[in-house]
Amino acid sequence: MAAVVPAAGAGVRLGAGVPKAFIEIDGTSMLVRAVAGLLDSGVVDDVVAVVPAARVRETESLLAPLRADGHLVVVTTGGAERTDSVRNGLAALESTAPAGDAGYDVLLVHDAARCLAPAGPTRRVVETVRAGAGAVVPVLPVVDTVKEVDDDGVVIGTPDRSALRAVQTPQGFDPALLLAAYDAAGDVATDDAGLVERLGEPVVTVEGHALSFKITTADDRMLAEFRLNPPPPRPEEPHD
Ligand code: C5P
């Protein structure tokens, strides 16, 4: 089982001045948290981290301790769009994967920005691929009503909320299907399963987790810090 972790985004919306995956949450970078989280799930053997070209050497040393248990941890360079970064990660995996006729039976793709993702969804995704699904995504129900708007921002539709789901990572795939989806992908997609959908292949959902939220803005970062370091309970108010 191997996972590609795209971590080459600039993080402009976070405004921290460093690539997003290198921002620390409670003293540990998002990238290290994301990779360690996958390896700690117990179902992921090997990881490819995809980072900005200028960060490859630094990433090698950041991730070196995670190789201790015999995990293969490969670092490669990302591209302009997330799709390019994942494509580079898959290529790195193909060229460095351990020899053997079987290869990997499941490939995961997991955003470094979802660095607090717990093991539960990862295990559910992997189990569901192993049970025969070609593509599996962890999802949560959508709590807001969602509107579709035209170019002027005028509402043109209100999809039935009960049929909508917010999609997270790690997303899991039969390796041949994911590689075929990336081969066929001409342009960018915001998630990997979207490329599988374009091939007309089914994508199965499993239950995601609130802690798998993507850290995109400064508020998200504060929430992540808070979840790792909740403030001590307030002393009880004195009663009269
Ligand atoms: O930009 P977005 O929040 O959708 O990024 C999701 C993940 O993809 C992040 O972990 C980010 O570092 C990664 N990414 C990448 N290469 C890019 C853009 C985003 O690896 N060119």
Side-chain angles (χ1 to χ4, degrees):
M1 237 292 305
V4 173
V5 179
V12 173
R13 289 166 291 183
L14 237 162
V18 291
K20 181 159 81 173
F22 294 82
I23 289 170
E24 293 187 353
I25 308 289
D26 194 30
T28 303
S29 72
M30 289 199 223
L31 175 58
V32 169
R33 284 189 180 280
V35 174
L38 287 170
L39 297 177
D40 288 348
S41 74
V43 292
V44 177
D45 302 305
D46 301 332
V47 173
V48 179
V50 190
V51 301
R55 299 270 174 169
V56 170
R57 197 174 286 186
E58 173 189 350
T59 306
E60 290 280 0
S61 34
L62 276 174
L63 297 181
L66 303 179
R67 293 192 172 113
D69 296 329
H71 298 294
L72 182 70
V73 180
V74 177
V75 181
T76 194
T77 305
E81 302 288 345
R82 184 185 180 282
T83 314
D84 306 313
S85 296
V86 175
R87 201 191 299 274
N88 290 0
L90 291 171
L93 199 58
E94 280 193 297
S95 59
T96 54
D101 49 359
Y104 297 112
D105 67 337
V106 183
L107 289 183
L108 294 183
V109 183
H110 181 43
D111 290 333
R114 297 182 191 271
C115 66
L116 301 191
T122 305
R123 293 189 190 136
R124 284 193 282 279
V125 165
V126 171
E127 276 163 21
T128 309
V129 176
R130 290 209 166 120
V136 182
V137 294
V139 298
L140 287 180
V142 173
V143 292
D144 293 315
T145 294
V146 175
K147 300 285 186 193
E148 188 180 1
V149 296
D150 66 14
D151 290 344
D152 299 321
V154 176
V155 172
I156 54 175
T158 307
D160 172 13
R161 192 172 71 186
S162 67
L164 296 178
R165 300 288 181 272
V167 179
Q168 305 178 325
T169 72
Q171 301 186 355
F173 303 91
D174 166 73
L177 180 60
L178 183 62
L179 295 174
Y182 267 87
D183 276 349
D187 53 3
V188 296
T190 53
D191 79 331
D192 310 285
L195 298 177
V196 170
E197 287 162 50
R198 287 187 206 169
L199 294 182
E201 295 292 331
V203 175
V204 173
T205 62
V206 296
E207 192 184 352
H209 197 288
L211 278 177
S212 303
F213 69 99
K214 186 167 71 171
I215 299 175
T216 305
T217 65
D219 275 349
D220 298 332
R221 183 181 179 181
M222 272 167 34
L223 175 61
E225 296 273 2
F226 182 86
R227 292 302 299 253
L228 290 172
N229 269 317
R234 285 199 210 160
E236 277 197 25
E237 298 285 326
H239 298 287
D240 286 334

